[in-house]
């Protein structure tokens, strides 16, 4: 009897151990932390449910893209681009899902502080939006790009003006009733110009120039758009010949539940999306309200990779290549008259600059055969003797005894004849401090210093950035600008990984953001604000989920 009792107790103990082991395993798989936010647990069960929702949503969008492609209602390039993004999201689904849950937890708390709430109606509206295809428009384009001279990579203002005038004339002809295809054949640079430049159906997210897409999505059917200046420098006119209204998939929610996803889990994911969108709107609205703005000019001295190298030096140059093309210069025979012509130009410019070095920037932008000179004024980054550069050019700029500001006699390289000025030697911190001293003492003006020393695109305009308000630029630069005294040059601001900034604030007013400022704020202000808020939270992640334990 005792043996039987003992055997029974052993069996019970074994069963209890199995139950405990099963409980521990179940807890580890479901209730243990996939992540924590300030000690608040995001369970693996919540993570698994959110991952299932994300995988289904990606699959649904892939099926929709295939349907649109089969119907000819999406351009193949747009389908491929969007599918590639979906594939990337699927590859990173684990980390992205956990990141969404972490952000959702933080943003729910931030939203509460901002007075933001998400209602069931908000969730219903967002679900309807996700179930609905965007409006589709069968679109056409006439493109006019600036004609670049040989060796150019950036259009001059005159070339841009000529392209704009050509596009304007084409629009005038279209409004006068001239046939679209006829105009397209005559002026368009689009590959499909002979058939009118048909680009197929597009929606608001088409992979085309943003300003052009916005214009096409707003224009009336069979009416040409205005001439649209693209970010790529091309001028475009569009038209629409067919419009397909948005279509809601009435089986959307049925497909969700048929996939084994509970409606509570799906709505929780949509709630996170809605909360982020409404929080973003609330934050951006604060930046879009009228507030203090400052009129700012900037000198930016870019951090140089070779600044710490041996014999480091920064120069600027004006290049005259044989036949105006540095890419083919090495193939031009030494006896070719094109080399003599290039040297004659370099000699003439050298003589002109010896008399007035202040012309360097304007001549470089107007005449240099280096394409980027039109935007840089011929300024080059730091070079050191460790860098692989043309031997003749190197021998000239690393010669002993050269002084900042010194103009060198024309130098021949494999690319042409260079007119070179030594700009400075490191460290840039000392150079920036010296610039401030020179400006403060009246030895030079901020505009001239910006023109000759700044690596920012605003250098040609004397560093003028226009009006700067809150939420437009990085917080570090913003704080420096709003701390600077009006009418005086700020102390140099060093930003690791970027470079050194000097600011001149010429005025301050209470203003509402203009259209350009609004666009910048809407694109970046929330992410910058949220990054700062998120940094105050302690977040951990289970390395088995993401491969990282913190972030």
């Amino acid at each position: 009897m005792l043996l039987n009792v003992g055997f029974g107790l052993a069996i019970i103990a074994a069963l209890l151990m199995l139950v405990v082991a099963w409980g521990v395993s179940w807890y580890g798989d479901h209730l243990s932390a996939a992540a924590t936010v300030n000690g608040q647990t995001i369970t693996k069960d919540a993570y698994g449910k959110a991952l299932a929702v994300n995988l289904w949503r990606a699959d649904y969008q892939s099926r929709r893209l295939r349907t649109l492609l089969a119907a000819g209602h999406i351009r193949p390039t747009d389908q491929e681009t969007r599918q590639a993004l979906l594939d990337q999201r699927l590859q990173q689904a684990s980390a992205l899902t956990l990141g969404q849950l972490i952000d959702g937890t933080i943003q729910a708390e931030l939203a509460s502080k901002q007075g933001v709430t998400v209602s069931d109606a908000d969730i219903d509206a967002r679900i309807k939006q996700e179930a609905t295809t965007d409006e589709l428009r069968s679109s056409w384009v006439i493109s006019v790009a600036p004609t670049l001279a040989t060796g150019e990579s950036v259009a001059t203002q005159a070339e841009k003006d000529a392209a704009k005038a050509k596009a304007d004339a084409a629009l005038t002809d279209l409004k006068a009733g001239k046939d679209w295809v006829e105009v397209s054949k005559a002026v368009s640079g689009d590959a499909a110009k002979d058939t009118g430049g048909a680009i197929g159906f597009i929606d608001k997210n088409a992979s085309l120039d943003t300003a052009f897409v916005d214009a096409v999505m707003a224009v009336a059917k069979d009416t040409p758009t205005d001439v649209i200046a693209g970010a790529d420098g091309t001028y475009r006119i569009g038209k629409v010949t067919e419009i397909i209204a948005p279509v809601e998939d009435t089986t959307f929610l049925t497909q969700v539940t048929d996939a084994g996803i509970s409606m509570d889990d799906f709505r929780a994911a949509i709630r996170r999306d809605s909360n982020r969108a409404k929080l973003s709107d609330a934050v951006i609205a604060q930046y879009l309200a009228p507030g203090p703005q400052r009129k700012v000019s900037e000198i930016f001295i870019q951090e140089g990779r070779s600044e710490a190298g041996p014999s480091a030096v920064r120069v600027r140059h004006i290049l005259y290549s044989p036949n105006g093309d540095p890419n083919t210069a090495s193939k031009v025979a030494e006896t070719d008259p094109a080399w003599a012509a290039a040297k004659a130009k370099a000699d003439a410019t050298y003589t002109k600059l010896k008399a007035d070095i202040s012309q360097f920037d304007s001549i470089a932008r107007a005449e240099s055969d280096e394409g980027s000179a039109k935007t840089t004024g011929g300024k080059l980054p730091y070079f050191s003797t460790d860098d692989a550069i043309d031997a003749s050019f190197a021998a000239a700029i690393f010669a002993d005894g050269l002084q900042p500001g010194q103009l060198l006699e024309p130098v021949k390289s494999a690319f042409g004849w260079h007119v070179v000025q030594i700009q400075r030697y490191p460290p840039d911190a000392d150079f920036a401090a010296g610039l401030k001293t020179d400006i403060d003492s009246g030895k030079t003006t901020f505009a001239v210093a910006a023109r000759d020393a700044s690596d920012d695109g605003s250098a040609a305009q004397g560093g003028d950035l226009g009006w700067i308000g809150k939420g437009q630029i990085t917080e570090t630069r913003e704080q420096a600008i709003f701390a600077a005294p009006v009418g005086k040059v700020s102390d140099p601001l060093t930003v690791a990984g970027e470079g050194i900034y000097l600011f001149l604030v010429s005025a301050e007013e209470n203003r509402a953001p203009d259209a350009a400022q609004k666009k910048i704020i809407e694109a970046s202000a929330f992410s910058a604000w949220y990054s700062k808020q998120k940094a105050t939270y302690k977040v951990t992640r289970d390395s088995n989920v993401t491969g990282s334990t913190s972030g």
Side-chain angles (χ1 to χ4, degrees), residues 281-305:
D281 289 344
V283 170
I284 288 173
Q286 297 171 22
Y287 288 112
L288 293 178
Q293 293 193 27
R294 292 189 149 200
K295 196 171 192 324
V296 181
S297 295
E298 172 188 89
I299 295 172
F300 171 54
I301 302 168
Q302 188 169 25
E303 188 174 280
R305 178 181 59 83

Side-chain angles (χ1 to χ4, degrees), residues 452-476:
D452 292 336
S454 181
D455 295 315
D456 188 74
S458 63
Q461 292 77 46
D464 184 14
L465 299 181
W467 290 94
I468 299 293
K470 299 294 181 71
Q472 282 181 245
I473 58 177
T474 61
E475 184 180 15
T476 302

Side-chain angles (χ1 to χ4, degrees), residues 280 284 288 471 515-527:
S280 175
I284 288 173
L288 293 178
Q517 291 174 312
K518 182 179 178 182
K519 189 172 183 179
I520 293 170
I521 289 169
E522 290 175 339
S524 61
F526 175 72
S527 60

Side-chain angles (χ1 to χ4, degrees), residues 377-445:
K379 292 190 268 309
L380 296 174
Y382 267 107
F383 290 130
S384 79
T385 52
D386 286 342
D387 293 320
I389 60 176
D390 181 271
S392 297
F393 189 82
I397 67 173
F398 295 130
D400 293 335
L402 299 179
Q403 299 298 316
Q406 185 171 341
L407 185 68
L408 308 186
E409 291 188 7
V411 179
K412 185 182 180 183
S413 77
F415 302 102
W417 284 91
H418 306 256
V419 181
V420 181
Q421 184 189 28
I422 303 297
Q423 286 203 288
R424 64 180 179 271
Y425 296 96
D428 275 345
D430 290 349
F431 175 72
L435 270 185
K436 173 177 167 56
T437 299
D438 288 346
I439 298 168
D440 288 343
S441 67
K443 185 176 179 180
T444 187
T445 66

Side-chain angles (χ1 to χ4, degrees), residues 172-421:
T172 299
D173 288 342
L174 291 170
K175 289 183 175 180
K178 199 166 184 177
D179 180 68
W180 177 278
V181 175
E182 183 180 345
V183 174
S184 175
K185 289 179 178 179
V187 306
S188 183
D190 187 82
K193 67 177 184 178
D194 290 341
T195 56
I199 54 178
F201 279 94
I202 68 170
D203 60 21
K204 63 184 181 181
N205 298 310
S207 301
L208 295 167
D209 182 79
T210 302
F212 174 74
V213 171
D214 290 344
V216 168
M217 295 305 297
V219 75
K221 183 173 173 286
D222 297 318
T223 302
T225 67
D226 292 334
V227 173
I228 308 300
D232 58 356
T234 297
Y235 297 93
R236 297 178 176 87
I237 305 168
K239 75 167 182 175
V240 173
T241 54
E242 183 181 355
I243 299 174
I244 299 177
V247 178
E248 182 181 359
D249 180 358
T250 57
T251 69
F252 182 78
L253 291 179
T254 301
Q255 292 182 58
V256 173
T257 54
D258 286 349
I261 296 170
S262 81
M263 194 51 56
D264 286 345
D265 293 342
F266 189 77
R267 290 179 71 87
I270 301 299
R271 178 179 291 277
R272 286 191 293 272
D273 294 345
S274 298
N275 192 68
R276 179 183 177 88
K278 294 189 73 172
L279 177 60
S280 175
D281 289 344
V283 170
I284 288 173
Q286 297 171 22
Y287 288 112
L288 293 178
Q293 293 193 27
R294 292 189 149 200
K295 196 171 192 324
V296 181
S297 295
E298 172 188 89
I299 295 172
F300 171 54
I301 302 168
Q302 188 169 25
E303 188 174 280
R305 178 181 59 83
S306 297
E307 183 181 354
S311 302
V313 62
R314 278 202 69 168
V315 305
R316 57 179 175 175
H317 75 141
I318 302 169
L319 174 63
Y320 295 100
S321 300
N323 303 314
D325 188 354
N327 297 315
T328 61
S330 61
K331 300 176 183 178
V332 179
E334 293 287 331
T335 56
D336 192 302
W339 276 104
K343 185 177 188 307
K345 291 179 181 178
D347 288 340
T349 294
Y350 174 69
T351 299
K352 189 182 296 185
L353 292 176
K354 279 205 306 182
D356 183 6
I357 195 65
S358 69
Q359 299 181 74
F360 199 109
D361 184 84
S362 60
I363 294 175
R365 293 176 191 274
E367 297 184 13
S368 182
D369 290 326
E370 181 201 19
S372 62
K374 290 178 175 60
T375 54
T376 66
K379 292 190 268 309
L380 296 174
Y382 267 107
F383 290 130
S384 79
T385 52
D386 286 342
D387 293 320
I389 60 176
D390 181 271
S392 297
F393 189 82
I397 67 173
F398 295 130
D400 293 335
L402 299 179
Q403 299 298 316
Q406 185 171 341
L407 185 68
L408 308 186
E409 291 188 7
V411 179
K412 185 182 180 183
S413 77
F415 302 102
W417 284 91
H418 306 256
V419 181
V420 181
Q421 184 189 28

Side-chain angles (χ1 to χ4, degrees), residues 5-322:
V5 170
F7 183 69
L9 291 173
I11 292 175
I12 292 172
L15 289 173
L16 287 173
M17 291 176 65
L18 287 173
V19 169
V20 170
W22 176 85
V24 170
S25 176
W26 187 90
Y27 179 87
D29 291 339
H30 294 272
L31 298 182
S32 64
T36 64
V37 178
N38 280 358
Q40 182 178 344
T41 297
I42 297 172
T43 67
K44 288 185 178 178
D45 200 40
Y47 160 75
K49 292 176 180 179
L51 179 61
V53 171
N54 279 346
L55 294 176
W56 183 86
R57 292 170 83 178
D59 177 67
Y60 179 83
Q61 291 174 44
S62 292
R63 288 186 280 116
R64 173 182 282 174
L65 288 173
R66 291 195 294 271
T67 300
L68 290 172
L69 184 64
H73 290 167
I74 188 173
R75 299 185 312 144
T77 52
D78 284 337
Q79 187 271 340
E80 290 168 3
T81 299
R82 296 177 196 183
Q83 185 59 54
L85 290 173
L86 288 172
D87 291 342
Q88 185 178 25
R89 282 167 49 189
L90 286 170
Q91 292 171 3
Q92 302 171 0
S94 294
L96 289 174
T97 299
L98 194 56
Q100 289 169 354
L101 290 169
I102 290 168
D103 288 336
T105 302
I106 295 172
Q107 289 165 9
E109 184 175 312
L110 295 175
S112 178
K113 294 177 180 178
Q114 294 283 329
V116 172
T117 59
V118 175
S119 67
D120 287 342
D122 292 328
I123 297 173
D124 292 338
R126 198 167 185 91
I127 290 175
K128 182 175 182 178
Q129 180 183 11
E130 189 161 335
T132 303
T133 57
D134 292 322
E135 181 182 281
L136 301 168
R137 293 187 163 215
S138 180
S139 306
W140 305 67
V141 65
I142 292 174
S143 302
V144 183
T147 301
L148 304 183
T150 303
E152 287 184 336
S153 60
V154 179
T156 64
Q157 189 58 51
E159 290 165 346
K160 294 177 184 178
D161 292 343
K164 175 68 162 54
K166 188 176 181 180
D168 286 339
L171 181 59
T172 299
D173 288 342
L174 291 170
K175 289 183 175 180
K178 199 166 184 177
D179 180 68
W180 177 278
V181 175
E182 183 180 345
V183 174
S184 175
K185 289 179 178 179
V187 306
S188 183
D190 187 82
K193 67 177 184 178
D194 290 341
T195 56
I199 54 178
F201 279 94
I202 68 170
D203 60 21
K204 63 184 181 181
N205 298 310
S207 301
L208 295 167
D209 182 79
T210 302
F212 174 74
V213 171
D214 290 344
V216 168
M217 295 305 297
V219 75
K221 183 173 173 286
D222 297 318
T223 302
T225 67
D226 292 334
V227 173
I228 308 300
D232 58 356
T234 297
Y235 297 93
R236 297 178 176 87
I237 305 168
K239 75 167 182 175
V240 173
T241 54
E242 183 181 355
I243 299 174
I244 299 177
V247 178
E248 182 181 359
D249 180 358
T250 57
T251 69
F252 182 78
L253 291 179
T254 301
Q255 292 182 58
V256 173
T257 54
D258 286 349
I261 296 170
S262 81
M263 194 51 56
D264 286 345
D265 293 342
F266 189 77
R267 290 179 71 87
I270 301 299
R271 178 179 291 277
R272 286 191 293 272
D273 294 345
S274 298
N275 192 68
R276 179 183 177 88
K278 294 189 73 172
L279 177 60
S280 175
D281 289 344
V283 170
I284 288 173
Q286 297 171 22
Y287 288 112
L288 293 178
Q293 293 193 27
R294 292 189 149 200
K295 196 171 192 324
V296 181
S297 295
E298 172 188 89
I299 295 172
F300 171 54
I301 302 168
Q302 188 169 25
E303 188 174 280
R305 178 181 59 83
S306 297
E307 183 181 354
S311 302
V313 62
R314 278 202 69 168
V315 305
R316 57 179 175 175
H317 75 141
I318 302 169
L319 174 63
Y320 295 100
S321 300

